[in-house]
Each structure stands twice: as structure tokens, then as C-alpha cells.
Amino acid sequence: MKTRRIMGLGAAAMVAAASLSMGTAGTASAANGGCRGWTDPGTYPESIQLNACMFPNGQWTAVVRTPETDIQMWYQVMDKPAWQSGEPTYAVTPPTVLATGRGDFFVFDGSVPVATSHCYYLRVWFVDGSRTYGYAESPGACA
């Protein structure tokens, strides 16, 4: 897993452009992957926002915007057979801490092996103190 920390307005433009080129914002579905899009600014305290991206080749990207609060950021990749409807049911990775900190943007990249006829979803959430918030889930990326 690679971690990058991006700061400033130029970073916001870069992440927005990357999100547009990676997929259309929306809710999780058995689609061709891409990015969920930013959670609404008022969804979580302190203007924290999450964006989860998953791609058919197993690559994933999680972006967290946490301008003023130290938080612990988490992720998990989930899986379900392509023919199955509903939520993903199998954990490909255990819940894993990405980082603890604050800053304009945290960008995390990773990958998982994929199996034919399966759909993969990235879930991103955070912990602030003793409270857990989220998760944001990517659209399904089916191999």
C-alpha cells in the first residue's frame, strides 16, 4: 500500500480531476468500478469527507479530507459473486488502519488479487476518539 499526503488548492483540483477520470460519483452497485464521489460536507463532523475508488484489476484508491481533526482512517475490501444481488458479503482484507493524522488530503493506494465473475468494493471509514463514522463504499468493480 502506498500513502501520499497532498495539501493545498492544487491538490483539490488534482483529486477532483482524478475522481472524474476514474468514474462517476454515485452509490455502490455492481457496476464497472470507479469512484463513489466525495461524501457530502455535512455528513461527518469537522468537514471530514471520504471517497472510495475500486477498479476491475484489483487496484483501489481511498481519499480522505480531514482539515482540522486528527482521526484514524480505516479501509476494507469486500467481495461478492457477480451474480449475487445485495451488499458484498465476503472480506478480502480485514479492517485495516490506513493512517492517523490530519491535513487537507490523504491519498492511499493498494491492490488485491481478483477472481473472474466477482465484484469488489472498497469501504473507507474513520474513528474520531471512541466514535466510528462511515463507511463510504465504492461502486462495484467486477472482474
Side-chain angles (χ1 to χ4, degrees):
M1 176 178 58
K2 292 189 306 184
T3 304
R4 298 182 305 254
R5 184 173 172 179
I6 302 173
M7 299 180 74
L9 273 178
M14 185 173 72
V15 171
S19 294
L20 290 174
S21 68
M22 287 189 250
T24 304
T27 57
S29 64
N32 195 20
C35 295
R36 178 206 182 281
W38 289 110
T39 53
D40 291 331
T43 303
Y44 303 118
E46 306 294 330
S47 300
I48 295 169
Q49 291 180 279
L50 308 172
N51 193 357
C53 307
M54 190 78 210
F55 305 99
N57 65 358
Q59 294 290 118
W60 58 263
T61 301
V63 187
V64 180
R65 179 184 295 161
T66 173
E68 300 174 10
T69 303
D70 282 323
I71 60 171
Q72 189 175 57
M73 297 155 260
W74 290 74
Y75 85 98
Q76 183 172 30
V77 176
M78 300 293 290
D79 165 33
K80 72 175 183 179
W83 50 264
Q84 180 182 330
S85 62
E87 294 286 316
T89 53
Y90 305 103
V92 177
T93 63
T96 305
V97 174
L98 289 165
T100 299
R102 69 175 158 188
D104 279 351
F105 292 94
F106 286 89
V107 180
F108 307 95
D109 298 304
S111 64
V112 294
V114 295
T116 304
S117 299
H118 281 256
C119 298
Y120 297 87
Y121 301 78
L122 176 66
R123 291 181 176 171
V124 181
W125 68 95
F126 68 94
V127 176
D128 183 7
S130 61
R131 185 155 180 206
T132 300
Y133 295 92
Y135 52 86
E137 185 173 270
S138 71
C142 301

